[in-house]
Amino acid sequence: MMMKRLIIALEALSISAFAYLPGESGFVSLDGAHGVFGNPAGLSALDSRGALASYSYDDGITEFRAGGNLDRFGAGFEYRFDGKGMDESRWNLTHSFPLFDRSVFWGQRLTAFRSADFKGTEWTYSPGILIRPLRMLSLGYSCDNLLYVGPSSMERVHNAGATLRLGDVFGVSYNVENWKEQRLLFELDLYGIRFGFKMPIHGDDDEYTLTLSSSFGGHFDASLKVYDDFLPKGGSIGFHQSRNPRASRASQIVRVPLNMDVTEVEKKFLFFPPTSIGLMKVRNLFEHLLRDPAAGLVVLDFSGYRGNLAISEEINRYVQKLKGRGSLVIAYMDDVRPAELLAASNVNRIVVEPSAHFTWLGLGGGITFYKGLFDKIGVKVEFLRHGAYKSAVEPYTKDSMSVEARENVETLYRDIWESVRMHVAQRMKPEPPHSNLERLDSLAQKPVITAIGAKKAGLVDTLLYIDQVPSYALKTFFDIDAPQAHFRTWSPTDTKIFDESWSRRAKVALLNINGTIDSRMENAVVESLRSLPSSGAKALLLRISSPGGSAIASDKIWGALKSLSKREFPIVASIGNIGTSGAYYIACGADKIIAEPFSIVGSIGIYGGKIDASGLMSKLGLKNEAIKTNDYADAQSFARPWTDVEKAALQEYMDDFYDRFTGIVSHATGIPQAVVDTAYGGGRVMVGWKAKEAGLVQGLGGFDTALDEVRKLANISKSTEIELMQLNTEDSFVVPFADSKSLGDFIREMERTQFWAIEPRLMDNSEF
């Protein structure tokens, strides 16, 4: 009779797949019961904070369990009684941690046990271990009550077992208790219902159970346990902080709101909500979409979107991944701008709001010059520089752009615009006799283009309001009339994915160099880099989106990176929208530099100086009398100009730093130092693909391309998952004189001599 039951169960389950069974904690090779009960090593193996409650009634015994877990700590409570004298309770505290790239997990539990059979409390210590040498094999061992102290001598209980997963189809577990009681568990998945059939194979245990469980809502699992009398006598419910993408049951129309600034890191201020969406949140959401079978039709809502070209290209790459796995993608826009078109260059359809307008004016910006104002108020900005193309100083020392600066910026703008033209033209349907590029160039001659004009030009597919998009999508792709169709909104999130994979995971540290580099950033970054060797990370991904900043701060960060390199710690730099001047200096501390084709790269140079406010003080009737021990003790004072000797000393310092800068670039790229100086130095900037041709970067691509390089340098196999460990998430301050809106701050900051390796904000006023 028992064998017949087994055969029937196996036939029913043979077409399904393995899954997590909440409450199935009797098998020490699994993660069941959150690790709060059963093998304590399973707590950190689960990799998700959560809670669990279970209830069972069998043979007159009622059992209740409740517990919760953090990343490495968990606590639980168990209560058993039968109304005939049995009355037991256990309180336990569990700790667990992973080892060797999560291929080994070690855990331990401290339990307080009280029973009607004795007075007082019995304290016990129980260790456990999980070993996963292969992504399909898990080995487990635990010893309950290894150590004990109290009124009753507890019996030690040894548990050992193994689980084998054959692909994603079938799983079988073996467990032995005290080397006598032996049982098997078969686990499979059928139409979203997960089954676990447990059967005894040796010993006194003759209890068969069938567990049915299912995920719902993305964060919950519920199970029902049926015993060999075919009666349901137990169940459990579990909560995971991580989201299970397999919990979805049917396809949905998913709206992804990208309706504010999308930046490298979120912009936060105190306790107020973020004013931007961080790139890592966007990437994480796309990973959820890629793993969720319900995300068959995705609407990217770009209403109010603001993102630079590098971030737009990251979104575009994820669109291609979604389409590659079979999803349909629609982009919705309330204004049509180049950055949005780049992000949507591979979507199935582009829908725009009827009153939207199309901006295709080209790339341009403006630079405000302050020298005339300073002359009138009696302020002199005493800046010296090394590099004729180092133009950040010019707004304060000149009345207009130098020939070198204009040539440099115009070439950069043309290169970026040409790349954008090519990308946008590829999506347009060809309509002879004019090429797509010619049609785009004709559109650039119109200051304002309506949404209808954009549709006629073949840049967008239709004009609708956002709530009309679901019914449009169903009609367009499936010829289904559903005027009441609606979508579900999935906002960018940092919620982790509930991952049941047993593959190894290698930690890779992610460090953002975002915004202007200053002493505050330097202190935080250097401290983070010092702690890296003991963090368990295998490598460092340096994500850069910065125009540069303090030359001294940049040099200190570069020095910290080289200290890591000497310890054979792999480092890859990924340049996003911009990596110039001091930021490029830092990038040269990496083993490899990857840049976007659109990235702004270079600006090898330095400048420095101070404010001379003596003229202003004279006009205001102010007088400063110096008191000093040496001739140049007041050299940094804003109350007098530089002397010729001081200017010569300052220029000598900057010449020396520039020579050091070009030497560092030469060592990082293999380009002779003289060539770095004459061909690429002096403050020149260039677009990413030109930097690749010049050898200033070693590869083109985005975040994932950089991660591929990390794998190669750190010898991380493709079968090993990468777990990003973000070291910093804050946006940096803006250096005062890099922003024309901060003139007062600029004057206050320049009360002392400073040395800067920074590029002006070239594209602040552009329409990207």
Side-chain angles (χ1 to χ4, degrees):
M1 183 66 181
M2 292 181 183
M3 184 57 67
K4 185 177 180 180
R5 291 177 183 172
L6 171 61
I7 293 172
I8 293 173
L10 289 178
E11 287 178 348
L13 302 178
S14 61
I15 57 174
S16 191
F18 73 86
Y20 166 69
L21 298 171
E24 192 67 64
S25 60
F27 290 79
V28 292
S29 54
L30 298 176
D31 302 339
H34 288 241
V36 175
F37 311 107
N39 190 343
L43 188 144
S44 59
L46 196 67
D47 197 32
S48 176
R49 300 181 179 186
L52 181 75
S54 67
Y55 170 85
S56 68
Y57 176 82
D58 186 39
D59 293 334
I61 299 175
T62 300
E63 180 182 80
F64 172 75
R65 287 177 168 180
N69 69 288
L70 301 176
D71 296 321
R72 297 192 178 187
F73 289 93
F77 169 73
E78 302 177 60
Y79 182 54
R80 301 175 77 229
F81 66 94
D82 64 359
K84 300 178 181 179
M86 173 188 284
D87 194 318
E88 300 177 350
S89 61
R90 287 179 172 85
W91 293 264
N92 64 64
L93 181 65
T94 303
H95 173 251
S96 173
F97 55 90
L99 297 164
F100 308 115
D101 298 339
R102 295 181 61 84
S103 60
V104 176
F105 302 87
W106 173 262
Q108 50 202 336
R109 176 177 295 115
L110 181 65
T111 302
F113 175 53
R114 295 180 64 87
S115 173
D117 294 339
F118 58 83
K119 293 183 179 180
T121 302
E122 185 78 16
W123 296 89
T124 64
Y125 169 79
S126 306
I129 189 170
L130 278 173
I131 302 174
R132 289 173 175 169
L134 303 171
R135 64 187 309 163
M136 65 181 68
L137 178 64
S138 179
L139 308 173
Y141 170 79
S142 70
C143 181
D144 296 340
N145 313 322
L146 175 65
L147 302 176
Y148 48 84
V149 60
S152 175
S153 298
M154 303 293 292
E155 178 186 358
R156 291 193 180 99
V157 180
H158 299 275
N159 292 282
T163 297
L164 182 65
R165 288 179 171 176
L166 304 178
D168 291 342
V169 177
F170 179 74
V172 58
S173 300
Y174 166 80
N175 213 76
V176 58
E177 181 179 316
N178 277 340
W179 321 116
K180 296 178 182 179
E181 307 291 338
Q182 300 176 50
R183 60 187 71 91
L184 290 175
L185 172 71
F186 300 92
E187 48 170 341
L188 299 146
D189 192 314
L190 182 63
Y191 300 117
I193 303 298
R194 295 177 293 221
F195 299 84
F197 180 73
K198 184 179 73 172
M199 60 171 291
I201 57 176
H202 186 270
D204 297 331
D205 184 5
D206 61 354
E207 187 175 71
Y208 290 79
T209 62
L210 177 64
T211 303
L212 298 87
S213 67
S214 181
S215 298
F216 61 96
H219 296 278
F220 293 90
D221 292 274
S223 72
L224 182 68
K225 186 172 290 188
V226 180
Y227 290 77
D228 53 8
D229 56 4
F230 299 104
L231 294 176
K233 294 183 178 179
S236 66
I237 184 167
F239 166 79
H240 300 290
Q241 187 182 57
S242 300
R243 181 182 175 276
N244 185 353
R246 299 195 304 176
S248 303
R249 293 289 176 261
S251 293
Q252 305 169 9
I253 302 176
V254 178
R255 170 182 169 263
V256 177
L258 300 171
N259 52 357
M260 63 169 70
D261 285 354
V262 181
T263 53
E264 290 286 340
V265 295
E266 287 189 350
K267 297 178 180 178
K268 300 177 181 178
F269 180 70
L270 299 178
F271 51 82
F272 294 101
T275 58
S276 70
I277 305 170
L279 178 60
M280 288 302 104
K281 274 191 176 181
V282 175
R283 286 176 54 86
N284 186 55
L285 176 62
F286 274 110
E287 289 295 334
H288 280 270
L289 292 170
L290 286 168
R291 299 194 193 196
D292 199 317
L297 205 161
V298 179
V299 179
L300 301 180
D301 186 356
F302 288 101
S303 304
Y305 171 79
R306 291 293 183 273
N308 60 47
L309 294 180
I311 287 175
S312 297
E313 184 62 14
E314 288 287 344
I315 295 172
N316 177 44
R317 292 188 183 104
Y318 268 102
V319 168
Q320 295 178 64
K321 289 182 180 181
L322 280 173
K323 291 180 64 180
R325 76 109 198 220
S327 295
L328 298 167
V329 185
I330 291 177
Y332 181 81
M333 306 174 186
D334 61 356
D335 273 318
V336 186
R337 297 177 297 110
E340 292 169 329
L341 289 174
L342 178 61
S345 58
N346 281 283
V347 302
N348 297 94
R349 296 289 188 276
I350 295 179
V351 180
V352 299
E353 195 267 334
S355 62
H357 71 278
F358 173 39
T359 302
W360 190 255
L361 301 177
L363 179 58
I367 298 176
T368 301
F369 289 82
Y370 303 104
K371 184 177 182 299
L373 171 63
F374 288 163
D375 288 345
K376 287 183 178 180
I377 64 175
V379 172
K380 184 177 181 182
V381 180
E382 294 204 305
F383 272 136
L384 300 176
R385 61 179 173 175
H386 192 124
Y389 296 89
K390 199 69 178 170
S391 59
V393 63
E394 291 186 353
Y396 312 104
T397 60
K398 292 180 176 291
D399 295 316
S400 61
M401 294 180 71
S402 65
V403 174
E404 294 86 356
R406 180 171 291 279
E407 172 194 342
N408 200 20
V409 175
E410 286 180 348
T411 301
L412 176 69
Y413 279 17
R414 283 196 299 268
D415 290 341
I416 294 175
W417 185 246
E418 181 63 21
S419 297
V420 173
R421 285 173 70 243
M422 297 297 293
H423 273 73
V424 173
Q426 289 175 6
R427 193 183 188 279
M428 299 171 64
K429 297 177 181 178
E431 293 184 9
H434 301 293
S435 69
N436 290 347
L437 288 175
E438 289 174 332
R439 288 158 59 203
L440 283 175
D441 290 341
S442 66
L443 292 173
Q445 305 306 312
K446 299 179 180 180
V448 177
I449 303 171
T450 64
I452 294 176
K455 184 176 183 296
K456 288 180 179 179
L459 288 162
V460 304
D461 295 289
T462 191
L463 312 181
L464 295 170
Y465 294 99
I466 183 65
D467 290 328
Q468 297 173 306
V469 173
S471 56
Y472 163 79
L474 293 176
K475 182 64 177 178
T476 300
F477 298 124
F478 308 107
D479 197 25
I480 297 174
D481 290 311
Q484 303 303 318
H486 62 278
F487 41 60
R488 291 189 61 186
T489 297
W490 291 13
S491 299
T493 177
D494 53 11
T495 299
K496 293 198 303 184
I497 294 174
F498 182 53
D499 189 356
E500 298 179 71
S501 169
W502 289 351
S503 64
R504 295 190 176 191
R505 298 185 201 173
K507 280 187 178 180
V508 171
L510 171 62
L511 179 64
N512 287 95
I513 303 294
N514 187 70
T516 305
I517 300 163
D518 55 16
S519 58
R520 184 187 66 94
M521 178 190 288
E522 167 226 318
N523 291 331
V525 168
V526 171
E527 191 62 33
S528 295
L529 293 176
R530 284 175 183 154
S531 64
L532 261 188
S534 60
S535 68
K538 301 293 183 183
L540 171 65
L541 176 57
L542 193 65
R543 178 69 176 180
I544 296 173
S545 187
S546 166
S550 165
I552 295 173
S554 301
D555 185 51
K556 288 181 178 180
I557 295 173
W558 176 88
L561 290 172
K562 297 311 290 183
S563 295
L564 273 180
S565 291
K566 290 178 181 178
R567 303 177 71 165
E568 298 184 352
F569 197 91
I571 305 171
V572 174
S574 170
I575 297 178
N577 197 54
I578 183 171
T580 53
S581 208
Y584 180 67
Y585 189 109
I586 290 172
C588 289
D591 299 296
K592 275 198 172 181
I593 306 173
I594 307 297
E596 290 280 5
F598 304 105
S599 298
I600 304 174
V601 179
S603 191
I604 302 166
I606 183 176
Y607 64 91
K610 68 169 185 174
I611 288 287
D612 170 20
S614 57
L616 176 61
M617 294 175 65
S618 177
K619 290 184 178 183
L620 296 175
L622 299 175
K623 181 181 179 182
N624 177 273
E625 291 189 0
I627 303 173
K628 52 188 177 181
T629 59
N630 297 84
D631 292 342
Y632 307 114
D634 63 340
Q636 296 189 24
S637 172
F638 60 82
R640 71 169 179 84
W642 298 113
T643 67
D644 290 340
V645 173
E646 289 165 344
K647 285 183 180 180
L650 180 64
Q651 189 66 55
E652 181 180 356
Y653 174 86
M654 286 190 292
D655 293 345
D656 179 75
F657 189 94
Y658 178 80
D659 184 68
R660 175 177 171 77
F661 198 161
T662 55
I664 284 171
V665 173
S666 175
H667 185 268
T669 62
I671 304 171
Q673 185 171 357
V675 176
V676 172
D677 176 25
T678 57
Y680 310 125
R684 295 176 178 88
V685 291
M686 63 186 70
V687 74
W689 62 267
K690 275 192 172 180
K692 171 65 168 61
E693 291 179 351
L696 294 178
V697 302
Q698 287 80 47
L700 294 179
F703 200 94
D704 290 325
T705 304
L707 276 181
D708 289 340
E709 291 298 329
V710 167
R711 282 188 183 275
K712 294 175 185 177
L713 293 177
N715 294 318
I716 301 172
S717 67
K718 291 185 178 180
S719 62
T720 301
E721 296 181 15
I722 287 181
E723 180 181 345
L724 287 175
M725 182 178 69
Q726 193 149 8
L727 299 181
N728 62 332
T729 58
E730 294 183 356
D731 196 12
S732 71
F733 294 132
V734 175
V735 73
F737 56 89
D739 190 337
S740 61
K741 298 176 184 178
S742 305
L743 184 57
D745 291 338
F746 161 69
I747 295 175
R748 288 192 296 271
E749 182 69 15
M750 289 309 298
E751 289 180 353
R752 59 187 180 88
T753 304
Q754 299 186 55
F755 302 98
W756 297 103
I758 189 170
E759 187 62 30
R761 294 173 173 261
L762 297 171
M763 300 172 67
D764 273 358
N765 301 322
S766 69
E767 285 295 323
F768 277 107

